[in-house]
Structures are given as structure tokens and as C-alpha cells.
Amino acid sequence: MNKKTLIDEYKKYVMPTYTRTPLVLIKGKGSRVWDVSGREYLDFFPGWAVSGLGHAHPAIAAALNKQAKKILHVPNNYYNEWQAKLAKEIINNSFDGKVFFCNSGAEAVEGAIKLARMHGSAKSKYEIITMSDSFHGRTLSTVAATGQTKYKQGFAPLPKGFVHAPFNDIEAIKKKISSKTVAVMLELIQGEGGINVADPGYVKALRRLCTKKGLLLIVDEVQTGMGRTGKMFCYQHYNVEPDIMTLAKSLGGGFPIGATVAKRKFADTLGAGTHASTFGGSPLACSCALAAFDTIRTKKLIYNTKKMGAYLYKKLTLLKAKYNIMKEVRGKGLMLGVELYKPGKTIYEECLHRGLLINCTHQTVLRIMPQLAVSKKEIDKAISILEAVFQKEGV
Ligand SMILES: *Cc1c(COP(=O)(O)O)cnc(C)c1O
């Protein structure tokens, strides 16, 4: 099918909820993807971090293939060995506790919200403080939790019980705490919000504050988890532990799976019958996530993320010295943002034109998050494309 016909069919049959770039992708391998005309692109933004192991990873393909021949789905009124194995793997890589499995980021956050509300219900506490410029998903309650008005317009009435505080401001959180507050939720690096990194002092103070006030600290690691920032989970940079953590995006190496992880002390809050997800923790999804953990470990991808992240950061900083459109380079590991002095849409489009896929968020922030096994050569190529674009734009 040619590209125009396909796009026309989308127009006719697919709801227009996304701003789509007219690119029809048909295959991928590692850091590269190919479109329907056979053109190759360097993918430095693989699916909002979903394809964190790179495209068509052989270990994920093998896990899918092997599991598909055995059993795809086991309903949650029975047991399956892969779900237990994966829960144990997540816990062994994070903090002592238990896991609830679901299928997406919003659902993982929804689980965290429900757990927090159930936890507070005996004392009529339900309010959750979240941050300005945060992003927690597109369901009604996760949109309510999200600290950006643009995602809320047209969807009133939203569930109540969410209040927002400015990011990196501990005093502002203190002011928002009321007799109804049950939890504080944040991303340690705001992804959609423009790669805003939480300060170490702020996170330490927030952990202390939550402990002192008896509030749950919920860390949304949907985008930052699975090695992306140079640690398995981003909170591990901060020497603190959350009470609840949410995962999705690259957890399944590209296959959909989400998880709500809670400290042992709070992990039995949602008892039998209080929460569920039909597809949650299927043998297929869990096999993929187990293969993802195994790949991160055996291919030393966290080491590569730190090394290549530092290299990419250095290269971007060198560009910043040359092109005065660049205001700041920030982030951790391979989750980097370049804040520009002007909107980045044309930069994004020119990069695409030259075969480099990146993202532009919050108008002025280029978001660059290559797969964890990215090579120096690939980074050099991406940087040379970016530089050519800056030169052409005369910035
Ligand atoms: C993407 C994202 C979500 C929502 O995930 P979906 O799978 O799209 O529902 C939630 N939180 C954060 C931090 C995200 O980046």
C-alpha cells in the first residue's frame, strides 16, 4: 500500500487523537528504523523510551516466540510462573515489596492512586500532591494528577483530590499539605514536562517530609525506569526509596506491560477484589520483561548508558558552545534534553528530513533518548546531523 492511501485510510478510520509525522515505519533494528520506501533513519527517540533495548531485539523476539508457543494468557484467578518470576526480579532490582501488573503507564499510576486512597480511606485522607509540568497519563484520574492544564481541557468533571505544587520546591509542598493529604507523587526527571531534573536536596527533603507526615512517596518511573538514566531506576541516584513506584514504557522491551510496585509495609493494601486488570501480568508480557532485565544485565546496558550518556552530554555541550540557539543541556544517562531559545519544531523537522528522529517537547526542548545499547558512532552521526541543521538554520 502506498503512503498516501495509508494516510487517507487513517483519516477515514482512525481517530485523530495524535499529531502524526507522515512517516510509515515498517521495520527496525537496534538504533535504526526503515520507512515504507526503504529509507533508513537513526532513531534517537524510540517510542518515548518504549524500545529502550533498541528495535527488534533478538532476546525479546526469542522470548515472544518461545512463550507464544506455550501459553499467551493465564487469567489472574489462576497462577502463572512468569508473573512470580518477574515480580521477584523487579523487587530484587529495587526495594523490598510487592508488584501489581497491568498494561500501561496510566494504569500503573492509576494503581498507585488507588493504593494511596485505600491506604488513606480509614482516616478519610485522599489528597495527592503532584507537580506542575508533570505527566502521569491520559485516563481521567491520571489527567487530573497531571500538572498541565492542556491535557485537561474538555474533560470536566475530573476526579477530585489532586493538588499541584511547583517542581523542586519543598516549601511549596509543605504549604499544600492538609489534613486530607495521603501522598506526594512525582517524576524524578519530568519527561513530557521538558527534562526537568529533581534536585538531590529536594528529593532528600521530600523523603524526610513524607516520612515525618506519614505520607506515601510515589515515584513515577514510567519513563525513567529500566536503566534509562544510568541506574536501573532513577530514584537510585538519590539515596532514597519511594513507598510506591510505577513502571511501564520499556519494562517489556517494547511489549506492553505496566507495574505498580509498593513497599512491603503497604503492599497488601489492595486486597482480593479491590483492584484488577484482565491482561495484567500475562505469561507473554512477563516473558518479555524478564528478557529485558536479562538483556540489561548480560549486555551491561547500564554501564553503556552511563558511558554513552556522558559522551552524548559532552558532544551536546560542545555544540552549545558553538550555536547560541542552545540554552541548556540537561538530564541523566540517556535521557537528555536540550533547551533552546526558540521553538524546536523546525529543528525536529529538519532532523527528520536528514534521517534523525528526535522529539520536541514543551515547545523549546529537544528530547533525545537513544536506545541503551547506542554506540559512539551512532552518537557521532546524530550530532553531525544536529550540527548541520543548526548550521542551515543559521543559529
Ligand atoms: C508515558 C508516561 C505515562 C503514561 O503512560 P501510558 O503507557 O501512555 O499510559 C505516565 N507517566 C509518565 C512519567 C510517562 O512518561
Side-chain angles (χ1 to χ4, degrees), residues 104-106 109 135-137 187 192 220 222-223 249:
S104 71
V109 175
F135 181 82
H136 298 294
E187 304 152 86
E192 305 312 302
D220 184 348
V222 166
Q223 198 163 142
K249 294 222 161 86

Side-chain angles (χ1 to χ4, degrees), residues 131-192:
M131 305 305 140
S132 307
D133 291 335
S134 59
F135 181 82
H136 298 294
R138 300 293 202 136
T139 61
L140 286 175
S141 70
T142 56
V143 155
T146 292
Q148 303 189 56
T149 48
K150 69 176 177 191
Y151 297 113
K152 306 187 193 220
Q153 272 147 22
F155 298 120
L158 291 174
K160 292 194 179 71
F162 297 94
V163 293
H164 308 307
F167 192 55
N168 269 334
D169 183 347
I170 193 75
E171 293 307 317
I173 291 185
K174 285 182 190 164
K175 283 189 199 125
K176 298 279 179 182
I177 294 174
S178 76
S179 59
K180 304 273 174 232
T181 310
V182 71
V184 177
M185 176 162 71
L186 79 166
E187 304 152 86
L188 293 170
I189 302 179
Q190 293 185 325
E192 305 312 302

